[in-house]
Amino acid sequence: MQYMLLIYNCDRPEPGDPRFPAALAAVNAFADECRRRGAFVAGHPLQGEHTATTVAVREGRTLITDGPFLETHEHLGGAYVLDCATLDEALELAALCPMAADGTIEVRPIAGVPDLDHRASAGA
């Protein structure tokens, strides 16, 4: 089963910050451990919430708002998709994620929807 690990409220140093090399090494070690177990599917950090644009459609009208969803109380910093044998394995890997040390990792099973096409491209 695939699980999404959503990373909230973590301190992520940017390139140029003296803490960046150690943080990058920790994240790469986590991804390598997930790969070693055959669980790694994808992982991506997100740019800061100031770069977000929110889209909603109400009564046929598209509403575009700069910034994150207004009811968001926590900063979503990135996500991993892992393919794990059990929820326990997904939780174990979430605890190994370096961002769990100062943020929160939400683990959610990815819903299996029959006939849903989620290929990367039409030719995939």
Side-chain angles (χ1 to χ4, degrees):
M1 164 145 312
Q2 289 191 341
Y3 294 88
M4 178 79 68
L5 276 61
L6 301 163
I7 303 164
Y8 290 100
N9 294 335
C10 65
D11 176 36
R12 186 179 71 211
E14 298 295 328
D17 184 313
R19 301 170 301 149
F20 180 76
L24 182 61
V27 168
N28 284 336
F30 170 70
D32 287 345
E33 175 62 17
C34 293
R35 286 183 190 97
R36 184 187 69 73
R37 294 181 185 209
F40 188 86
V41 176
H44 300 284
L46 297 174
Q47 291 188 14
E49 63 273 3
H50 67 280
T51 67
T53 304
T54 304
V55 177
V57 177
R58 302 291 183 266
E59 299 177 5
R61 294 185 53 212
T62 301
L63 307 170
I64 298 173
T65 306
D66 289 336
F69 183 57
L70 294 176
E71 295 179 18
T72 301
H73 299 287
E74 297 184 320
H75 164 71
L76 177 62
Y80 285 98
V81 176
L82 302 180
D83 193 353
C84 298
T86 64
L87 173 60
D88 287 340
E89 181 185 15
L91 296 173
E92 178 186 347
L93 288 169
L96 293 176
C97 183
M99 286 73 78
D102 63 7
T104 303
I105 311 297
E106 178 182 341
V107 178
R108 244 195 251 188
I110 294 177
V113 178
D115 299 321
L116 178 65
D117 183 359
H118 39 105
R119 295 175 292 174
S121 67

